[in-house]
Amino acid sequence: MENTINTWAEAISALPDKDFFNLMRLYLGKIQTPYNKQRLASQLASFLKTPKNTKAILTLLTAKDLEFLSAVYFMEGIDKEAFLQFFTGSYQISEFYTKLANLRDRLLIYSVTKDDGKTYLLLNPVILPSLEPLLNIEELLPRPQVMNLNMDDNFVLTQEFLASFICCVRNNTFTLKTDGSLKKNAINRLEEIFPGREKCMQLLMTAFLNLGLFHESKKVDVDDDKLLKFAKLSPKQQYAFLCAASSTHLSREGLRKQSQLLLDTIASIPQDGLTEKSILRLAFILGQKGDSAGAGSAALKGRFAQILEAARAQQKPEDAAQNKDFLDRMMDSAVEFGFIQKKGLSTDGEEIYTAAELQALAPQNIKPVNIESAFSVSLMPGLALSSLLPLTHFLDVKSYGIVSQFEITKTSATSAFDSGMDVEKIFKTLETFCPYEIPQNMKVNIQEWYNSYSAAVLYHGFVLKVAKENIAFAENNPKIQKYVQEKLTDGIYLLNLPEDININAFFEECGLPAKNLKTAVTKAEVLDFPLLRDGRKPAFVNGAGHVDGRLGVRSESCPSSSNAEEAENLLVSLEKKLASMELDKNQKENLANRIKNRLIVTAEQLSSEAVRTEILEADGMDFTGKFYLIDAAIKEGDLVEIKMPQANGAGYSTIVGTPRNLERMESDAILTLALKDEEEHLNINVSRITHLRRLHF
């Protein structure tokens, strides 16, 4: 969205007449007729460009002002509803809209409604060059001071942990409750192997199921083909996918965007750490800037409603990944998996988090396996998951630790045989990772188990039979060999063909006569996981340098809005000037309130023309005023803040919502108020409202 002076002038001119002329009278005084809106907007720009006025506007900026303005600056083009989500938990909704209206009336921000019906917030380009040096990312992501360091050992997910978890699921009959949570027997078994990691186990189970690495039928089954694809990813990418998938079920594109966002967020956490609130804000900003955040591109990604609404079109409404609840859950998973770790407590008593140092993979030629007596196997760290999967496929995990303990049993060996491993593959795998010779009694037992297993074999799938003269052709044909699962005998092959394959076309491609075959289907081809790049830190997070041509750090030579004394002196001088003027009581009260809200920055503005005629608040006895405000809010789609007695008479409650209907009764009126995205509606007697405020922005 192009932020130019012409865009700002057009937006000002497009305001409703009441709002437009209120602004003009406030800053320019009496409006001469005939008037031209574009010319008035140009005069307003000249007012802002006057050095004395610019300095006064900057002097009156507060810390809260700078927080809002910095948020608009670093997420320029964000829509109003998404902006509200960014500040959820930091400000009440009424306080939020009051601040937006105040910044708009002070000519610091403006809004543009686009064809999609959304209202986007931008900084006023007239004053931006002077304002820009005051805008700092640390207004949004303050660096906490560590008071107490965390002395506990931080858990972090490892490749051995994932392999042990997969091994445990493979060799046990785990079933789930209807809500997807683990049943008691599964929790007890996992607790034996991974003590104190119940929550981690549940999150991993959810993630593996959502990623399709596990499937639930009568029990939880392992999808070996998809696991092999997953294991080819780097550990960071694996953990990012697991964090995202543990939070909700995502589309393929949604999974990529969420996982990439997490990698970028973690890469952007400074070494000193951030609080959870700041990390969530950081993720919000990075998501708003999109995949180009690290490259410093100014391209905007559209609405970021309900926090990080990437890939919304590809997702079901109930699975909308980019919302605050989702981001909270993904953050929780990242902490539980050790991807983000607690560093200590801040001076404000908040937890400080930093990015974890992940386990480094050892050189490929290491041999971390030790075979002990009674078929016990110990495994030291260092192997990648891609190496651990075939190794642990024929093992049964007993305990996880720095050195994990496994065992070779008939059941675990049979599971390996089911997947296509034979005795030679098992021996070769052990010899690859074990520095010693395999004990003879272990070899004998595995061979006996295999002989027993292969005494009778039932095959399921496509069987290809070729004539004797075509055997050499079939065995040298790459298109056929690609799908050969096993050679049953000369000229007869078990094929593992995708279920959606066109059989006739397949035979023609292979150069064989076309056949019509009827047989059981096999699994579809497994897709690779979405591509992720390494996490990268955008320039504005570094605390220095430029981002999209903007300064990311406040210049020491620029005027500081923290100069409270200078601001106070200006306000006092304006109040003294007002006190000396001959105006009636109501006019003075109105102008005094405008000085307090920092809308008046020069003595020239103190005139009756600057008195605002629009009323935005009404008290309980003013029934007509309340009715008028509600009716105006309905027509312009504004929120209202209502204060009214609680039903039990214990005090007063404050409600913020969107008025949808106002029905006049004989001696009262009924307001229908929509709360929280239309999820709930209240019918309120207007006469019971003790204070009503229209949140007009």
Side-chain angles (χ1 to χ4, degrees), residues 305-329:
Q306 298 180 353
I307 291 190
L308 311 174
E309 195 178 20
R312 184 178 183 185
Q314 289 83 15
Q315 299 169 38
K316 299 177 182 178
E318 63 270 20
D319 292 336
Q322 305 288 21
N323 55 53
K324 192 173 189 301
D325 288 340
F326 172 83
L327 191 57
D328 285 338
R329 294 195 303 272

Side-chain angles (χ1 to χ4, degrees), residues 340-611:
I340 297 174
Q341 296 186 341
K342 294 180 181 179
K343 180 175 182 177
L345 283 177
S346 72
T347 52
D348 295 328
E350 294 184 88
E351 291 278 6
I352 300 174
Y353 295 89
T354 58
E357 290 289 336
L358 298 184
Q359 176 195 60
L361 298 180
Q364 293 184 354
N365 59 353
I366 66 162
K367 295 181 179 291
V369 172
N370 184 35
I371 301 175
E372 301 168 358
S373 59
F375 299 93
S376 294
V377 175
S378 61
L379 174 66
M380 291 177 286
L383 289 180
L385 185 61
S386 56
S387 298
L388 289 168
L389 286 180
L391 175 62
T392 57
H393 202 138
F394 53 84
L395 301 176
D396 189 13
V397 62
K398 296 303 177 186
S399 66
Y400 169 79
I402 296 177
V403 177
S404 300
Q405 300 298 323
F406 294 81
E407 187 177 22
I408 298 180
T409 66
K410 184 175 182 179
T411 301
S412 63
T414 300
S415 174
F417 300 151
D418 285 340
S419 69
M421 293 187 81
D422 54 22
V423 174
E424 287 72 23
K425 285 184 180 179
I426 291 177
F427 290 167
K428 184 177 180 180
T429 303
L430 282 172
E431 289 166 354
T432 300
F433 298 112
C434 181
Y436 311 111
E437 187 177 347
I438 304 172
Q440 191 61 33
N441 63 332
M442 179 179 285
K443 284 187 173 183
V444 171
N445 274 28
I446 293 175
Q447 184 65 59
E448 288 179 354
W449 293 337
Y450 185 75
N451 292 340
S452 174
Y453 172 85
S454 58
V457 180
L458 178 65
Y459 290 104
H460 178 84
F462 292 94
V463 176
L464 172 65
K465 181 180 180 181
V466 298
K468 186 181 296 185
E469 60 271 18
N470 289 331
I471 290 177
F473 170 79
E475 294 188 353
N476 291 311
N477 189 319
K479 293 184 178 179
I480 296 177
Q481 289 303 308
K482 175 182 177 182
Y483 296 107
V484 173
Q485 183 171 332
E486 187 162 345
K487 179 179 178 180
L488 304 179
T489 187
D490 288 344
I492 301 178
Y493 311 92
L494 180 67
L495 302 183
N496 184 19
L497 294 173
E499 62 179 2
D500 57 350
I501 195 169
N502 184 314
I503 298 296
N504 290 335
F506 170 72
F507 270 74
E508 289 177 2
E509 285 182 14
C510 296
L512 297 171
K515 302 285 184 182
N516 287 320
L517 303 179
K518 293 182 180 180
T519 184
V521 298
T522 60
K523 293 184 293 184
E525 185 175 356
V526 178
L527 296 175
D528 289 330
F529 279 82
L531 293 177
L532 300 179
R533 54 168 171 72
D534 288 342
R536 59 193 182 194
K537 180 192 298 186
F540 68 82
V541 178
N542 291 326
H546 289 71
V547 99
D548 300 345
R550 313 168 187 173
L551 287 172
V553 66
R554 181 179 299 157
S555 170
E556 296 297 330
S557 62
C558 293
S560 172
S561 67
S562 64
N563 190 345
E565 183 178 353
E566 188 177 352
E568 185 63 24
N569 290 338
L570 176 57
L571 294 174
V572 169
S573 68
L574 291 171
E575 289 168 353
K576 287 181 178 179
K577 173 67 175 176
L578 176 62
S580 67
M581 296 175 65
E582 294 184 1
L583 297 170
D584 64 40
K585 181 181 177 182
N586 288 335
Q587 288 176 326
K588 283 193 173 184
E589 286 181 355
N590 192 300
L591 289 172
N593 189 55
R594 309 207 94 182
I595 292 173
K596 179 183 175 182
N597 289 320
R598 307 189 178 214
L599 297 170
I600 293 179
V601 296
T602 69
E604 290 76 15
Q605 289 178 262
L606 292 172
S607 71
S608 59
E609 295 295 330
V611 174

Side-chain angles (χ1 to χ4, degrees), residues 14-20 22 80 97 104 113 119 612 614-616 628-640 658-660 694-697:
L15 287 173
D17 284 351
K18 185 185 299 181
D19 294 334
F20 177 82
N22 273 334
K80 183 177 65 178
Y97 277 103
R104 176 200 61 191
T113 301
T119 300
R612 184 166 191 154
E614 185 180 23
I615 298 173
L616 296 176
Y628 167 78
L629 285 180
I630 294 170
D631 186 57
I634 291 174
K635 290 177 181 177
E636 297 194 28
D638 291 337
L639 293 169
V640 293
T658 306
R660 291 302 179 199
R694 179 182 167 201
L695 304 177
H696 182 51
F697 180 82

